Amino acid sequence: MAKKSARLLPSGKKLASSLLGCLYVYLVCQAALAKGLGPGATVFWAALWAIPGYFVILYLLGNRVLLEFKRGSRWE
């Protein structure tokens, strides 16, 4: 059973959606730094946009892990 659910390499779609999400977070963080705000405001602004945006990207690209978590089937 463990062999079925554990894979060394993620599928191409899962990897691509995660990488695209990470690229989005990186760009949001760079934009936050470019605003020239203080450290606290920079972190707040970046988190405000990066966290929900990352999950929206995973959802839109059909990341299986996120969709299973949403359905709750992963914890049954």
Side-chain angles (χ1 to χ4, degrees):
M1 181 148 173
K3 184 178 179 182
K4 180 181 176 186
S5 62
R7 296 181 53 174
L8 291 178
L9 296 174
S11 68
K13 187 174 182 180
K14 188 188 313 180
L15 182 61
S17 66
S18 295
L19 288 175
L20 188 59
C22 288
L23 177 63
Y24 171 77
V25 170
Y26 172 77
L27 293 174
V28 166
C29 290
Q30 290 302 314
L33 287 171
K35 285 185 156 297
L37 304 171
T42 300
V43 170
F44 176 77
W45 191 88
L48 182 69
W49 289 98
I51 294 170
Y54 179 77
F55 287 108
V56 166
I57 288 171
L58 292 183
Y59 180 78
L60 291 176
L61 294 177
N63 186 288
R64 193 187 64 160
V65 173
L66 182 66
L67 295 175
E68 285 178 8
F69 180 75
K70 182 184 172 220
R71 279 188 301 225
S73 63
R74 191 151 171 89
W75 306 106
E76 293 178 354

Short mmCIF file of all heavy atoms in Angstrom, two decimals:
data_model
loop_
_atom_site.label_atom_id
_atom_site.label_comp_id
_atom_site.label_asym_id
_atom_site.label_seq_id
_atom_site.Cartn_x
_atom_site.Cartn_y
_atom_site.Cartn_z
N MET A 1 0.83 -1.19 0.00
CA MET A 1 0.00 0.00 0.00
C MET A 1 0.87 1.26 0.00
O MET A 1 0.57 2.22 -0.68
CB MET A 1 -0.92 -0.01 1.21
CG MET A 1 -1.81 1.16 1.26
SD MET A 1 -3.33 0.69 2.03
CE MET A 1 -4.10 2.24 2.18
N ALA A 2 1.96 1.24 0.77
CA ALA A 2 2.83 2.41 0.82
C ALA A 2 3.51 2.63 -0.52
O ALA A 2 3.70 3.76 -0.94
CB ALA A 2 3.87 2.24 1.92
N LYS A 3 3.85 1.56 -1.20
CA LYS A 3 4.52 1.68 -2.49
C LYS A 3 3.60 2.36 -3.51
O LYS A 3 4.05 3.12 -4.35
CB LYS A 3 4.93 0.31 -3.00
CG LYS A 3 5.71 0.36 -4.28
CD LYS A 3 6.13 -1.04 -4.70
CE LYS A 3 6.91 -0.96 -6.00
NZ LYS A 3 7.29 -2.28 -6.47
N LYS A 4 2.30 2.11 -3.41
CA LYS A 4 1.35 2.70 -4.34
C LYS A 4 1.28 4.22 -4.17
O LYS A 4 1.21 4.96 -5.14
CB LYS A 4 -0.03 2.10 -4.12
CG LYS A 4 -1.07 2.65 -5.04
CD LYS A 4 -2.42 2.02 -4.73
CE LYS A 4 -3.48 2.67 -5.60
NZ LYS A 4 -4.81 2.22 -5.25
N SER A 5 1.29 4.71 -2.94
CA SER A 5 1.12 6.14 -2.72
C SER A 5 2.44 6.91 -2.68
O SER A 5 2.45 8.12 -2.82
CB SER A 5 0.34 6.39 -1.42
OG SER A 5 1.07 5.88 -0.33
N ALA A 6 3.55 6.24 -2.46
CA ALA A 6 4.85 6.92 -2.38
C ALA A 6 5.59 6.79 -3.71
O ALA A 6 5.82 5.71 -4.19
CB ALA A 6 5.68 6.33 -1.25
N ARG A 7 5.93 7.92 -4.28
CA ARG A 7 6.69 7.94 -5.53
C ARG A 7 7.92 8.82 -5.33
O ARG A 7 7.85 9.83 -4.66
CB ARG A 7 5.84 8.51 -6.65
CG ARG A 7 4.64 7.65 -6.96
CD ARG A 7 3.85 8.21 -8.09
NE ARG A 7 4.74 8.45 -9.23
CZ ARG A 7 4.33 8.84 -10.40
NH1 ARG A 7 3.07 9.05 -10.62
NH2 ARG A 7 5.17 9.04 -11.39
N LEU A 8 9.02 8.41 -5.93
CA LEU A 8 10.24 9.20 -5.80
C LEU A 8 10.15 10.49 -6.60
O LEU A 8 10.58 11.54 -6.14
CB LEU A 8 11.44 8.38 -6.27
CG LEU A 8 11.83 7.22 -5.37
CD1 LEU A 8 13.00 6.46 -5.96
CD2 LEU A 8 12.18 7.71 -3.98
N LEU A 9 9.60 10.42 -7.80
CA LEU A 9 9.49 11.60 -8.63
C LEU A 9 8.01 11.94 -8.85
O LEU A 9 7.22 11.06 -9.16
CB LEU A 9 10.16 11.37 -9.99
CG LEU A 9 11.67 11.13 -9.95
CD1 LEU A 9 12.18 10.76 -11.33
CD2 LEU A 9 12.39 12.35 -9.42
N PRO A 10 7.64 13.21 -8.69
CA PRO A 10 6.25 13.59 -8.93
C PRO A 10 5.92 13.53 -10.42
O PRO A 10 6.81 13.59 -11.27
CB PRO A 10 6.17 15.02 -8.40
CG PRO A 10 7.56 15.52 -8.47
CD PRO A 10 8.46 14.33 -8.28
N SER A 11 4.63 13.44 -10.71
CA SER A 11 4.22 13.44 -12.11
C SER A 11 4.55 14.79 -12.74
O SER A 11 4.72 15.79 -12.05
CB SER A 11 2.72 13.16 -12.21
OG SER A 11 1.99 14.26 -11.70
N GLY A 12 4.61 14.82 -14.05
CA GLY A 12 4.96 16.05 -14.76
C GLY A 12 3.99 17.17 -14.49
O GLY A 12 4.38 18.32 -14.31
N LYS A 13 2.69 16.86 -14.44
CA LYS A 13 1.67 17.88 -14.21
C LYS A 13 1.79 18.46 -12.80
O LYS A 13 1.71 19.66 -12.61
CB LYS A 13 0.29 17.28 -14.43
CG LYS A 13 -0.81 18.28 -14.39
CD LYS A 13 -2.14 17.63 -14.75
CE LYS A 13 -3.25 18.64 -14.75
NZ LYS A 13 -4.52 18.04 -15.11
N LYS A 14 2.01 17.58 -11.83
CA LYS A 14 2.15 18.04 -10.45
C LYS A 14 3.40 18.90 -10.29
O LYS A 14 3.37 19.96 -9.66
CB LYS A 14 2.21 16.85 -9.49
CG LYS A 14 2.16 17.25 -8.03
CD LYS A 14 2.42 16.10 -7.08
CE LYS A 14 1.67 14.86 -7.37
NZ LYS A 14 1.95 13.78 -6.41
N LEU A 15 4.47 18.48 -10.90
CA LEU A 15 5.72 19.23 -10.83
C LEU A 15 5.59 20.58 -11.52
O LEU A 15 6.00 21.61 -10.98
CB LEU A 15 6.86 18.42 -11.46
CG LEU A 15 8.24 19.05 -11.40
CD1 LEU A 15 8.67 19.25 -9.97
CD2 LEU A 15 9.23 18.16 -12.13
N ALA A 16 4.96 20.59 -12.70
CA ALA A 16 4.79 21.84 -13.44
C ALA A 16 3.92 22.83 -12.67
O ALA A 16 4.23 24.03 -12.60
CB ALA A 16 4.19 21.56 -14.81
N SER A 17 2.83 22.35 -12.07
CA SER A 17 1.96 23.27 -11.34
C SER A 17 2.67 23.82 -10.11
O SER A 17 2.53 25.00 -9.79
CB SER A 17 0.64 22.60 -10.96
OG SER A 17 0.83 21.55 -10.05
N SER A 18 3.44 22.99 -9.44
CA SER A 18 4.18 23.46 -8.26
C SER A 18 5.26 24.47 -8.66
O SER A 18 5.44 25.49 -7.98
CB SER A 18 4.82 22.29 -7.52
OG SER A 18 3.83 21.46 -6.98
N LEU A 19 5.97 24.20 -9.74
CA LEU A 19 7.00 25.13 -10.20
C LEU A 19 6.40 26.46 -10.64
O LEU A 19 6.96 27.52 -10.35
CB LEU A 19 7.83 24.51 -11.32
CG LEU A 19 8.77 23.41 -10.91
CD1 LEU A 19 9.46 22.80 -12.13
CD2 LEU A 19 9.80 23.91 -9.91
N LEU A 20 5.28 26.42 -11.33
CA LEU A 20 4.62 27.65 -11.75
C LEU A 20 4.14 28.44 -10.52
O LEU A 20 4.28 29.66 -10.47
CB LEU A 20 3.45 27.35 -12.68
CG LEU A 20 2.81 28.55 -13.34
CD1 LEU A 20 3.81 29.32 -14.17
CD2 LEU A 20 1.65 28.12 -14.20
N GLY A 21 3.62 27.73 -9.52
CA GLY A 21 3.21 28.38 -8.28
C GLY A 21 4.39 29.02 -7.58
O GLY A 21 4.29 30.15 -7.07
N CYS A 22 5.52 28.33 -7.56
CA CYS A 22 6.72 28.89 -6.93
C CYS A 22 7.23 30.11 -7.69
O CYS A 22 7.67 31.09 -7.08
CB CYS A 22 7.81 27.83 -6.85
SG CYS A 22 7.46 26.55 -5.63
N LEU A 23 7.17 30.06 -9.00
CA LEU A 23 7.57 31.22 -9.81
C LEU A 23 6.68 32.42 -9.49
O LEU A 23 7.16 33.54 -9.35
CB LEU A 23 7.50 30.88 -11.30
CG LEU A 23 7.83 32.03 -12.24
CD1 LEU A 23 9.27 32.50 -12.05
CD2 LEU A 23 7.59 31.61 -13.69
N TYR A 24 5.39 32.18 -9.35
CA TYR A 24 4.46 33.25 -8.99
C TYR A 24 4.83 33.85 -7.63
O TYR A 24 4.88 35.07 -7.48
CB TYR A 24 3.02 32.72 -8.96
CG TYR A 24 2.05 33.71 -8.38
CD1 TYR A 24 1.60 34.79 -9.14
CD2 TYR A 24 1.59 33.58 -7.07
CE1 TYR A 24 0.72 35.70 -8.60
CE2 TYR A 24 0.71 34.50 -6.54
CZ TYR A 24 0.28 35.56 -7.31
OH TYR A 24 -0.58 36.47 -6.78
N VAL A 25 5.10 33.01 -6.64
CA VAL A 25 5.46 33.50 -5.31
C VAL A 25 6.75 34.31 -5.39
O VAL A 25 6.85 35.39 -4.78
CB VAL A 25 5.61 32.32 -4.32
CG1 VAL A 25 6.23 32.77 -3.01
CG2 VAL A 25 4.25 31.68 -4.07
N TYR A 26 7.72 33.84 -6.15
CA TYR A 26 8.97 34.57 -6.31
C TYR A 26 8.73 35.96 -6.91
O TYR A 26 9.26 36.97 -6.41
CB TYR A 26 9.94 33.78 -7.19
CG TYR A 26 11.18 34.55 -7.57
CD1 TYR A 26 12.21 34.72 -6.65
CD2 TYR A 26 11.31 35.13 -8.83
CE1 TYR A 26 13.34 35.44 -6.98
CE2 TYR A 26 12.43 35.85 -9.17
CZ TYR A 26 13.45 36.00 -8.24
OH TYR A 26 14.56 36.72 -8.57
N LEU A 27 7.91 36.01 -7.96
CA LEU A 27 7.64 37.30 -8.60
C LEU A 27 6.88 38.25 -7.66
O LEU A 27 7.15 39.46 -7.64
CB LEU A 27 6.86 37.09 -9.89
CG LEU A 27 7.64 36.38 -11.00
CD1 LEU A 27 6.73 36.08 -12.18
CD2 LEU A 27 8.85 37.19 -11.42
N VAL A 28 5.96 37.73 -6.88
CA VAL A 28 5.24 38.56 -5.92
C VAL A 28 6.21 39.10 -4.87
O VAL A 28 6.15 40.28 -4.50
CB VAL A 28 4.08 37.77 -5.25
CG1 VAL A 28 3.55 38.49 -4.02
CG2 VAL A 28 2.97 37.54 -6.25
N CYS A 29 7.11 38.26 -4.40
CA CYS A 29 8.09 38.71 -3.40
C CYS A 29 9.02 39.78 -3.98
O CYS A 29 9.35 40.75 -3.29
CB CYS A 29 8.88 37.52 -2.87
SG CYS A 29 7.90 36.43 -1.82
N GLN A 30 9.43 39.61 -5.22
CA GLN A 30 10.27 40.63 -5.85
C GLN A 30 9.51 41.95 -6.01
O GLN A 30 10.08 43.02 -5.82
CB GLN A 30 10.78 40.12 -7.22
CG GLN A 30 11.79 39.01 -7.11
CD GLN A 30 13.01 39.42 -6.30
OE1 GLN A 30 13.57 40.49 -6.49
NE2 GLN A 30 13.42 38.55 -5.39
N ALA A 31 8.24 41.86 -6.36
CA ALA A 31 7.41 43.06 -6.48
C ALA A 31 7.26 43.75 -5.12
O ALA A 31 7.30 44.98 -5.03
CB ALA A 31 6.05 42.72 -7.06
N ALA A 32 7.11 42.96 -4.07
CA ALA A 32 6.99 43.52 -2.73
C ALA A 32 8.28 44.24 -2.33
O ALA A 32 8.25 45.32 -1.75
CB ALA A 32 6.65 42.42 -1.72
N LEU A 33 9.41 43.63 -2.67
CA LEU A 33 10.69 44.28 -2.35
C LEU A 33 10.87 45.56 -3.15
O LEU A 33 11.42 46.54 -2.64
CB LEU A 33 11.85 43.31 -2.65
CG LEU A 33 12.03 42.15 -1.68
CD1 LEU A 33 13.05 41.17 -2.22
CD2 LEU A 33 12.44 42.67 -0.31
N ALA A 34 10.42 45.57 -4.38
CA ALA A 34 10.58 46.75 -5.24
C ALA A 34 9.73 47.93 -4.77
O ALA A 34 10.03 49.07 -5.11
CB ALA A 34 10.21 46.39 -6.68
N LYS A 35 8.70 47.66 -3.98
CA LYS A 35 7.85 48.74 -3.47
C LYS A 35 8.60 49.64 -2.49
O LYS A 35 8.19 50.75 -2.23
CB LYS A 35 6.59 48.19 -2.81
CG LYS A 35 5.57 47.68 -3.80
CD LYS A 35 4.33 47.28 -3.03
CE LYS A 35 3.11 47.32 -3.88
NZ LYS A 35 2.75 48.62 -4.39
N GLY A 36 9.67 49.12 -1.90
CA GLY A 36 10.47 49.92 -0.97
C GLY A 36 9.80 50.14 0.37
O GLY A 36 10.06 51.15 1.03
N LEU A 37 8.95 49.23 0.78
CA LEU A 37 8.28 49.33 2.08
C LEU A 37 9.23 48.85 3.17
O LEU A 37 10.28 48.30 2.91
CB LEU A 37 7.01 48.47 2.07
CG LEU A 37 6.00 48.77 0.97
CD1 LEU A 37 4.91 47.71 0.97
CD2 LEU A 37 5.40 50.15 1.16
N GLY A 38 8.83 49.03 4.40
CA GLY A 38 9.61 48.50 5.51
C GLY A 38 9.52 46.98 5.53
O GLY A 38 8.70 46.38 4.84
N PRO A 39 10.36 46.34 6.34
CA PRO A 39 10.39 44.87 6.36
C PRO A 39 9.05 44.23 6.71
O PRO A 39 8.62 43.29 6.06
CB PRO A 39 11.44 44.54 7.43
CG PRO A 39 12.23 45.77 7.61
CD PRO A 39 11.37 46.92 7.22
N GLY A 40 8.38 44.74 7.73
CA GLY A 40 7.10 44.18 8.14
C GLY A 40 6.03 44.33 7.07
O GLY A 40 5.28 43.40 6.77
N ALA A 41 5.96 45.51 6.46
CA ALA A 41 4.97 45.76 5.41
C ALA A 41 5.28 44.94 4.17
O ALA A 41 4.37 44.47 3.50
CB ALA A 41 4.95 47.24 5.07
N THR A 42 6.55 44.74 3.88
CA THR A 42 6.94 43.93 2.72
C THR A 42 6.48 42.49 2.90
O THR A 42 5.90 41.88 1.99
CB THR A 42 8.47 43.96 2.51
OG1 THR A 42 8.86 45.32 2.27
CG2 THR A 42 8.90 43.10 1.34
N VAL A 43 6.73 41.93 4.08
CA VAL A 43 6.31 40.54 4.35
C VAL A 43 4.79 40.44 4.31
O VAL A 43 4.24 39.51 3.73
CB VAL A 43 6.86 40.06 5.71
CG1 VAL A 43 6.24 38.74 6.13
CG2 VAL A 43 8.37 39.95 5.66
N PHE A 44 4.10 41.39 4.91
CA PHE A 44 2.63 41.38 4.92
C PHE A 44 2.08 41.44 3.50
O PHE A 44 1.22 40.66 3.12
CB PHE A 44 2.09 42.54 5.75
CG PHE A 44 0.60 42.62 5.72
CD1 PHE A 44 -0.17 41.75 6.48
CD2 PHE A 44 -0.04 43.55 4.92
CE1 PHE A 44 -1.55 41.81 6.45
CE2 PHE A 44 -1.43 43.62 4.88
CZ PHE A 44 -2.19 42.75 5.65
N TRP A 45 2.59 42.37 2.69
CA TRP A 45 2.11 42.54 1.32
C TRP A 45 2.37 41.30 0.49
O TRP A 45 1.51 40.83 -0.26
CB TRP A 45 2.78 43.76 0.70
CG TRP A 45 2.17 44.18 -0.59
CD1 TRP A 45 1.14 45.04 -0.76
CD2 TRP A 45 2.56 43.76 -1.91
NE1 TRP A 45 0.86 45.18 -2.09
CE2 TRP A 45 1.71 44.41 -2.83
CE3 TRP A 45 3.53 42.90 -2.40
CZ2 TRP A 45 1.81 44.22 -4.20
CZ3 TRP A 45 3.63 42.72 -3.77
CH2 TRP A 45 2.78 43.37 -4.64
N ALA A 46 3.58 40.74 0.62
CA ALA A 46 3.92 39.54 -0.15
C ALA A 46 3.05 38.36 0.25
O ALA A 46 2.55 37.63 -0.60
CB ALA A 46 5.41 39.21 0.05
N ALA A 47 2.85 38.17 1.55
CA ALA A 47 2.02 37.06 2.02
C ALA A 47 0.57 37.23 1.59
O ALA A 47 -0.10 36.26 1.22
CB ALA A 47 2.12 36.93 3.54
N LEU A 48 0.09 38.46 1.62
CA LEU A 48 -1.29 38.75 1.25
C LEU A 48 -1.58 38.31 -0.18
O LEU A 48 -2.66 37.81 -0.48
CB LEU A 48 -1.57 40.24 1.43
CG LEU A 48 -2.98 40.72 1.12
CD1 LEU A 48 -3.94 40.18 2.18
CD2 LEU A 48 -3.02 42.23 1.10
N TRP A 49 -0.62 38.47 -1.06
CA TRP A 49 -0.82 38.12 -2.47
C TRP A 49 -0.28 36.75 -2.83
O TRP A 49 -0.86 36.05 -3.67
CB TRP A 49 -0.17 39.17 -3.37
CG TRP A 49 -0.93 40.45 -3.33
CD1 TRP A 49 -0.64 41.54 -2.57
CD2 TRP A 49 -2.14 40.74 -4.03
NE1 TRP A 49 -1.59 42.51 -2.77
CE2 TRP A 49 -2.53 42.04 -3.67
CE3 TRP A 49 -2.91 40.04 -4.93
CZ2 TRP A 49 -3.66 42.65 -4.18
CZ3 TRP A 49 -4.05 40.63 -5.45
CH2 TRP A 49 -4.41 41.94 -5.06
N ALA A 50 0.83 36.34 -2.23
CA ALA A 50 1.49 35.10 -2.65
C ALA A 50 0.76 33.84 -2.18
O ALA A 50 0.60 32.90 -2.96
CB ALA A 50 2.93 35.08 -2.14
N ILE A 51 0.30 33.82 -0.95
CA ILE A 51 -0.30 32.59 -0.42
C ILE A 51 -1.58 32.21 -1.16
O ILE A 51 -1.68 31.09 -1.68
CB ILE A 51 -0.51 32.70 1.10
CG1 ILE A 51 0.85 32.78 1.80
CG2 ILE A 51 -1.32 31.52 1.63
CD1 ILE A 51 0.79 33.14 3.26
N PRO A 52 -2.57 33.09 -1.24
CA PRO A 52 -3.77 32.68 -1.97
C PRO A 52 -3.51 32.45 -3.46
O PRO A 52 -4.07 31.54 -4.06
CB PRO A 52 -4.75 33.83 -1.78
CG PRO A 52 -4.07 34.87 -1.00
CD PRO A 52 -2.71 34.41 -0.65
N GLY A 53 -2.62 33.25 -4.04
CA GLY A 53 -2.31 33.09 -5.46
C GLY A 53 -1.69 31.74 -5.77
O GLY A 53 -2.00 31.11 -6.79
N TYR A 54 -0.81 31.27 -4.89
CA TYR A 54 -0.18 29.96 -5.07
C TYR A 54 -1.24 28.86 -5.11
O TYR A 54 -1.22 27.99 -5.99
CB TYR A 54 0.82 29.72 -3.94
CG TYR A 54 1.51 28.38 -4.03
CD1 TYR A 54 2.53 28.16 -4.94
CD2 TYR A 54 1.14 27.34 -3.18
CE1 TYR A 54 3.17 26.94 -5.01
CE2 TYR A 54 1.77 26.11 -3.25
CZ TYR A 54 2.78 25.91 -4.17
OH TYR A 54 3.40 24.70 -4.25
N PHE A 55 -2.17 28.89 -4.17
CA PHE A 55 -3.19 27.85 -4.12
C PHE A 55 -4.17 27.96 -5.28
O PHE A 55 -4.66 26.95 -5.78
CB PHE A 55 -3.91 27.86 -2.78
CG PHE A 55 -3.06 27.30 -1.68
CD1 PHE A 55 -2.51 28.13 -0.72
CD2 PHE A 55 -2.76 25.95 -1.64
CE1 PHE A 55 -1.71 27.63 0.28
CE2 PHE A 55 -1.95 25.43 -0.64
CZ PHE A 55 -1.43 26.26 0.32
N VAL A 56 -4.44 29.16 -5.75
CA VAL A 56 -5.30 29.33 -6.93
C VAL A 56 -4.62 28.71 -8.15
O VAL A 56 -5.27 28.01 -8.94
CB VAL A 56 -5.63 30.82 -7.17
CG1 VAL A 56 -6.22 31.04 -8.54
CG2 VAL A 56 -6.58 31.32 -6.09
N ILE A 57 -3.34 28.93 -8.30
CA ILE A 57 -2.60 28.34 -9.42
C ILE A 57 -2.65 26.82 -9.35
O ILE A 57 -2.92 26.14 -10.34
CB ILE A 57 -1.15 28.86 -9.46
CG1 ILE A 57 -1.14 30.31 -9.92
CG2 ILE A 57 -0.28 28.00 -10.38
CD1 ILE A 57 0.19 30.99 -9.80
N LEU A 58 -2.39 26.25 -8.17
CA LEU A 58 -2.45 24.80 -8.03
C LEU A 58 -3.84 24.27 -8.37
O LEU A 58 -3.98 23.25 -9.05
CB LEU A 58 -2.06 24.38 -6.61
CG LEU A 58 -0.62 24.60 -6.19
CD1 LEU A 58 -0.42 24.05 -4.77
CD2 LEU A 58 0.35 23.98 -7.15
N TYR A 59 -4.86 24.97 -7.91
CA TYR A 59 -6.23 24.54 -8.17
C TYR A 59 -6.56 24.61 -9.66
O TYR A 59 -7.11 23.67 -10.23
CB TYR A 59 -7.20 25.39 -7.35
CG TYR A 59 -8.64 25.00 -7.57
CD1 TYR A 59 -9.16 23.87 -6.95
CD2 TYR A 59 -9.47 25.74 -8.40
CE1 TYR A 59 -10.48 23.49 -7.15
CE2 TYR A 59 -10.78 25.38 -8.60
CZ TYR A 59 -11.28 24.25 -7.97
OH TYR A 59 -12.59 23.88 -8.18
N LEU A 60 -6.22 25.73 -10.29
CA LEU A 60 -6.54 25.90 -11.70
C LEU A 60 -5.80 24.91 -12.60
O LEU A 60 -6.32 24.50 -13.63
CB LEU A 60 -6.23 27.33 -12.15
CG LEU A 60 -7.14 28.42 -11.57
CD1 LEU A 60 -6.66 29.79 -12.02
CD2 LEU A 60 -8.59 28.19 -11.99
N LEU A 61 -4.61 24.53 -12.20
CA LEU A 61 -3.83 23.57 -12.98
C LEU A 61 -4.14 22.13 -12.59
O LEU A 61 -3.52 21.20 -13.10
CB LEU A 61 -2.34 23.87 -12.87
CG LEU A 61 -1.92 25.19 -13.49
CD1 LEU A 61 -0.44 25.43 -13.27
CD2 LEU A 61 -2.24 25.22 -14.97
N GLY A 62 -5.09 21.96 -11.68
CA GLY A 62 -5.54 20.62 -11.33
C GLY A 62 -4.53 19.80 -10.55
O GLY A 62 -4.42 18.60 -10.77
N ASN A 63 -3.82 20.43 -9.63
CA ASN A 63 -2.87 19.69 -8.81
C ASN A 63 -3.64 18.66 -7.99
O ASN A 63 -4.49 19.00 -7.18
CB ASN A 63 -2.11 20.66 -7.89
CG ASN A 63 -1.02 19.97 -7.12
OD1 ASN A 63 -1.30 19.22 -6.21
ND2 ASN A 63 0.21 20.23 -7.49
N ARG A 64 -3.34 17.41 -8.20
CA ARG A 64 -4.08 16.31 -7.60
C ARG A 64 -4.05 16.32 -6.07
O ARG A 64 -5.04 16.05 -5.41
CB ARG A 64 -3.54 14.98 -8.11
CG ARG A 64 -4.43 13.81 -7.79
CD ARG A 64 -3.74 12.57 -8.18
NE ARG A 64 -2.55 12.51 -7.32
CZ ARG A 64 -1.86 11.45 -7.06
NH1 ARG A 64 -2.15 10.33 -7.62
NH2 ARG A 64 -0.82 11.47 -6.26
N VAL A 65 -2.91 16.63 -5.49
CA VAL A 65 -2.78 16.65 -4.03
C VAL A 65 -3.71 17.70 -3.44
O VAL A 65 -4.42 17.44 -2.47
CB VAL A 65 -1.31 16.90 -3.61
CG1 VAL A 65 -1.20 17.07 -2.11
CG2 VAL A 65 -0.43 15.77 -4.09
N LEU A 66 -3.73 18.89 -4.04
CA LEU A 66 -4.61 19.95 -3.55
C LEU A 66 -6.08 19.56 -3.70
O LEU A 66 -6.88 19.78 -2.81
CB LEU A 66 -4.32 21.25 -4.28
CG LEU A 66 -5.15 22.45 -3.83
CD1 LEU A 66 -4.79 22.83 -2.40
CD2 LEU A 66 -4.95 23.62 -4.75
N LEU A 67 -6.43 18.97 -4.85
CA LEU A 67 -7.82 18.57 -5.07
C LEU A 67 -8.25 17.47 -4.10
O LEU A 67 -9.38 17.48 -3.60
CB LEU A 67 -8.02 18.13 -6.51
CG LEU A 67 -7.81 19.22 -7.57
CD1 LEU A 67 -7.90 18.62 -8.96
CD2 LEU A 67 -8.80 20.35 -7.39
N GLU A 68 -7.35 16.53 -3.80
CA GLU A 68 -7.68 15.48 -2.82
C GLU A 68 -7.85 16.08 -1.44
O GLU A 68 -8.72 15.67 -0.68
CB GLU A 68 -6.58 14.42 -2.81
CG GLU A 68 -6.61 13.50 -4.00
CD GLU A 68 -5.49 12.48 -3.96
OE1 GLU A 68 -4.77 12.39 -2.95
OE2 GLU A 68 -5.32 11.78 -4.97
N PHE A 69 -7.01 17.03 -1.09
CA PHE A 69 -7.13 17.68 0.21
C PHE A 69 -8.47 18.42 0.30
O PHE A 69 -9.15 18.37 1.32
CB PHE A 69 -5.97 18.66 0.42
CG PHE A 69 -6.02 19.37 1.74
CD1 PHE A 69 -5.69 18.70 2.90
CD2 PHE A 69 -6.43 20.68 1.81
CE1 PHE A 69 -5.75 19.36 4.12
CE2 PHE A 69 -6.49 21.34 3.02
CZ PHE A 69 -6.14 20.67 4.18
N LYS A 70 -8.85 19.10 -0.78
CA LYS A 70 -10.12 19.82 -0.80
C LYS A 70 -11.30 18.88 -0.61
O LYS A 70 -12.24 19.19 0.12
CB LYS A 70 -10.26 20.59 -2.11
CG LYS A 70 -11.51 21.40 -2.20
CD LYS A 70 -11.63 22.07 -3.56
CE LYS A 70 -12.98 22.70 -3.66
NZ LYS A 70 -13.58 22.56 -4.94
N ARG A 71 -11.26 17.73 -1.26
CA ARG A 71 -12.34 16.75 -1.13
C ARG A 71 -12.33 16.06 0.21
O ARG A 71 -13.33 15.51 0.64
CB ARG A 71 -12.22 15.70 -2.22
CG ARG A 71 -12.76 16.13 -3.55
CD ARG A 71 -12.76 14.96 -4.46
NE ARG A 71 -11.38 14.48 -4.59
CZ ARG A 71 -10.80 14.15 -5.71
NH1 ARG A 71 -11.47 14.17 -6.83
NH2 ARG A 71 -9.55 13.75 -5.75
N GLY A 72 -11.18 16.04 0.87
CA GLY A 72 -11.07 15.38 2.17
C GLY A 72 -10.79 13.90 2.07
O GLY A 72 -10.68 13.23 3.07
N SER A 73 -10.65 13.36 0.87
CA SER A 73 -10.44 11.93 0.72
C SER A 73 -9.05 11.51 1.19
O SER A 73 -8.83 10.35 1.48
CB SER A 73 -10.63 11.51 -0.75
OG SER A 73 -9.68 12.14 -1.57
N ARG A 74 -8.12 12.42 1.26
CA ARG A 74 -6.77 12.08 1.68
C ARG A 74 -6.72 11.72 3.16
O ARG A 74 -5.82 11.02 3.61
CB ARG A 74 -5.86 13.26 1.38
CG ARG A 74 -4.41 12.97 1.52
CD ARG A 74 -3.64 13.87 0.58
NE ARG A 74 -2.23 13.79 0.80
CZ ARG A 74 -1.45 12.92 0.20
NH1 ARG A 74 -1.94 12.05 -0.63
NH2 ARG A 74 -0.15 12.92 0.43
N TRP A 75 -7.64 12.19 3.95
CA TRP A 75 -7.60 12.00 5.39
C TRP A 75 -8.58 10.93 5.88
O TRP A 75 -8.76 10.75 7.06
CB TRP A 75 -7.88 13.31 6.10
CG TRP A 75 -6.95 14.37 5.63
CD1 TRP A 75 -7.24 15.41 4.80
CD2 TRP A 75 -5.54 14.48 5.90
NE1 TRP A 75 -6.13 16.16 4.55
CE2 TRP A 75 -5.07 15.61 5.22
CE3 TRP A 75 -4.66 13.73 6.64
CZ2 TRP A 75 -3.75 16.02 5.27
CZ3 TRP A 75 -3.34 14.14 6.70
CH2 TRP A 75 -2.89 15.26 6.02
N GLU A 76 -9.24 10.24 4.97
CA GLU A 76 -10.22 9.22 5.39
C GLU A 76 -9.56 7.90 5.64
O GLU A 76 -8.56 7.55 5.18
CB GLU A 76 -11.30 9.07 4.32
CG GLU A 76 -12.13 10.31 4.24
CD GLU A 76 -13.19 10.20 3.16
OE1 GLU A 76 -13.21 9.21 2.39
OE2 GLU A 76 -14.00 11.12 3.06
#
